[in-house]
Amino acid sequence: MKPYTGIDFYRYAGQLTDEERSAQQTVREFVTASFLPLIRTHHAAGTFPTELIGELGAMGLLGPSVSGPGCPGLSATVYGLICQELERGDSGLRSFASVQGSLVMWPISVFGSDEQRNKFLPGLAAGKLVGCFGLTEPDHGSDPGAMATTAVKDGTDWILTGNKMWITNATTADVALVWARGPERILGFLVERGTPGFSTQATKGKYSLRASDTGELILAEARVPDANRLPDAVGLRAPIACLNEARYGIAWGVIGAACDCYHVAREYALQREQFGQPIASFQLVQRKLVRMLTEITKAQGLCLQLGRLKEQGINEVPLVSLAKRNNVAMALECARTARDILGAAGITDEHSPGRHMTNLESVITYEGTHDIHTLIVGAEITGIQAFR
Ligand code: TGC
Ligand code: FAD
């Protein structure tokens, strides 16, 4: 199989700056050289390659567009391209970077105090600390506004009680950003490992995102000092703003998974012979490849424009929802089509499309399900909220 050199049918690279192209190339080489040799083993074992976290930090891939001490502060488009290249490797790798950068570093940078920024951001950017984001609960997924976790003030501390479920990086994290119902509004707390009453537990038996640490956060009257409350995070709008950052990265990231599927399927179709000729010579197979390339190319254009808008300060939730919704469904369709083109060979871990396909079943659910994004865009264009 020919080595992967990117999918860029519409020459979008011509619209990128030298810095953006160079970042993309560097991450692509890192994924090929350092990540892909590990993924089959970690996928089979159900583990995240923690041995790469330091390298991710040293390369500036953790919170690349976040501003603050020790943070690279690069453009939104660079962040998107990094996500795309990481997810070409595996959605679990991009998930790690999304959570660390968009869901932990970004809120500390935007809602945190100077002390919190100085204490946490350099370590998180360098990969010396790992963070997680606890919003979802066992009984409250799409409707986080109904969360049951509470925060009650006790002197200069807060007592946090509740459970958070399906949390990426849960058991690896040194610090968990936990959202809880305060006396009046939802508040955000930086709960450090070792906090009395705070523990984590791994989620077992996943068939999706196997190379990712997913788990539960248990807050049994965990005592958190007020100094660890994000002072400027008040109300559900704060976690929603974090989600908007991470969903932006997902919209870009899944293009990488789709590109890998397209690349593998095309290469396989050119080599695999049936009825005395390469299956790539059959019209039905060509139609599948053309459909994949068309949808990838449309998704790339969508994200490039989304990135440029974000750089101009235009970053509204429905714009990001439209891209997350479209691109994840697109990538999932590409993964299923690629798996089909590979025939029986597509069902083993010798080839990546089957792994991407099961991963993307999580990606289409987390950070707002496909249907929740439909309703977010629907509310924007009609002015009518249809969640309830
Ligand atoms: P509603 O009561 O209308 O609003 C609640 C608060 O949210 C604010 N808000 C918006 N802000 C900006 N733009 C918008 N379009 C907004 N829509 C809502 C709003 O101002 C309000 O703020 P506040 O402070 O005044 O309370 O909303 P709702 O409760 O009816 O529902 C809103 C809904 C359904 C859109 C929202 O709850 C939602 O997005 N649900 C999906 C949940 C979700 O995405 N969870 C993700 C968990 S994290 C995760 O999955 C990480 S995976 C990581 C990885 O591994 O990559
Ligand atoms: P539910 O909300 O119960 O939804 C079930 C179904 O009902 C879906 O099809 C949904 O679209 C539909 N539905 C719900 N409400 C409506 C409605 N109003 N109208 C129409 N249909 C509706 N969360 C975190 O906080 N942090 C993390 O790091 C994190 N990581 C995750 C990692 C993985 C691998 C996974 C799978 C999930 C992760 N999540 C995380 C949780 C994720 O955000 C939730 O799973 C997601 O928000 C959906 O919630 P739910 O699973 O409870 O589904």
Side-chain angles (χ1 to χ4, degrees), residues 36-368:
L36 291 181
L38 305 177
I39 183 59
R40 270 176 89 181
T41 307
H42 280 287
H43 178 77
T47 49
F48 179 76
T50 49
E51 62 270 37
L52 293 182
I53 296 174
E55 201 174 342
L56 290 168
M59 290 177 71
L61 307 186
L62 302 176
S65 56
V66 173
S67 305
C71 300
L74 300 174
S75 75
T77 303
V78 171
Y79 176 45
L81 290 163
I82 289 172
C83 287
Q84 186 177 313
E85 294 306 320
L86 293 177
E87 197 148 358
R88 200 256 305 181
D90 192 82
S91 298
L93 180 61
R94 196 268 312 136
S95 272
F96 178 86
S98 287
V99 170
Q100 181 93 345
S102 290
L103 295 183
V104 181
M105 293 170 63
W106 186 84
I108 293 174
S109 126
V110 172
F111 301 123
S113 63
D114 282 341
E115 291 72 23
Q116 290 165 349
R117 281 190 273 272
N118 289 327
K119 179 174 176 185
F120 292 106
L121 287 180
L124 289 164
K128 291 181 177 153
L129 292 176
V130 172
C132 71
F133 178 90
L135 180 66
T136 305
E137 300 182 351
D139 294 332
H140 306 284
S142 297
D143 184 14
M147 69 175 64
T149 301
T150 54
V152 176
K153 194 89 188 279
D154 182 29
T156 56
D157 293 338
W158 291 84
I159 307 297
L160 268 54
T161 308
N163 278 26
K164 299 288 178 180
M165 204 169 167
W166 306 114
I167 307 304
T168 301
N169 298 348
T171 71
T172 323
D174 301 286
V175 57
L177 170 46
V178 171
W179 299 95
R181 183 175 300 289
E184 289 163 16
R185 309 293 303 276
I186 286 168
L187 303 171
F189 297 88
L190 296 165
V191 182
E192 297 178 69
R193 177 131 349 242
T195 298
F198 172 59
S199 60
T200 59
Q201 193 172 306
T203 301
K204 300 286 184 196
K206 290 183 298 171
Y207 60 73
S208 172
L209 273 184
R210 289 188 51 75
S212 177
D213 165 21
T214 311
E216 203 171 335
L217 309 180
I218 300 144
L219 299 137
E221 300 190 349
R223 181 170 286 275
V224 180
D226 189 53
N228 280 30
R229 181 178 58 82
L230 293 177
D232 294 330
V234 179
L236 191 61
R237 70 185 62 215
I240 298 269
C242 304
L243 297 179
N244 203 40
E245 293 299 304
R247 291 166 180 170
Y248 167 82
I250 293 171
W252 275 94
V254 292
I255 298 171
C259 286
D260 187 48
C261 291
Y262 169 77
H263 172 70
V264 170
R266 178 180 170 276
E267 291 295 312
Y268 185 86
L270 286 167
Q271 284 162 22
R272 174 75 175 169
E273 292 193 356
Q274 288 296 292
F275 298 95
Q277 57 200 79
I279 60 169
S281 68
F282 301 131
Q283 291 178 0
L284 290 177
V285 174
Q286 289 194 4
R287 184 170 70 176
K288 289 172 189 171
L289 291 170
V290 169
R291 163 98 182 151
M292 290 166 82
L293 179 62
T294 305
E295 294 307 314
I296 288 168
T297 302
K298 284 154 67 179
Q300 287 171 325
L302 204 159
C303 272
L304 196 51
Q305 172 65 0
L306 192 66
R308 296 306 183 216
L309 287 175
K310 191 164 160 59
E311 284 156 10
Q312 294 163 32
I314 300 167
N315 187 30
E316 291 134 22
V317 167
L319 267 62
V320 175
S321 282
L322 187 146
K324 194 270 185 186
R325 177 182 182 277
N326 180 77
N327 291 8
V328 180
M330 176 284 295
L332 190 51
E333 187 198 329
C334 283
R336 288 172 178 158
T337 306
R339 209 292 308 147
D340 165 59
I341 291 173
L342 267 65
I347 72 153
T348 75
D349 67 0
E350 194 183 334
H351 300 283
S352 55
R355 175 166 50 78
H356 286 305
M357 186 178 77
T358 52
N359 282 344
L360 290 162
E361 289 293 344
S362 282
V363 182
I364 204 163
T365 284
Y366 70 34
E367 294 273 6

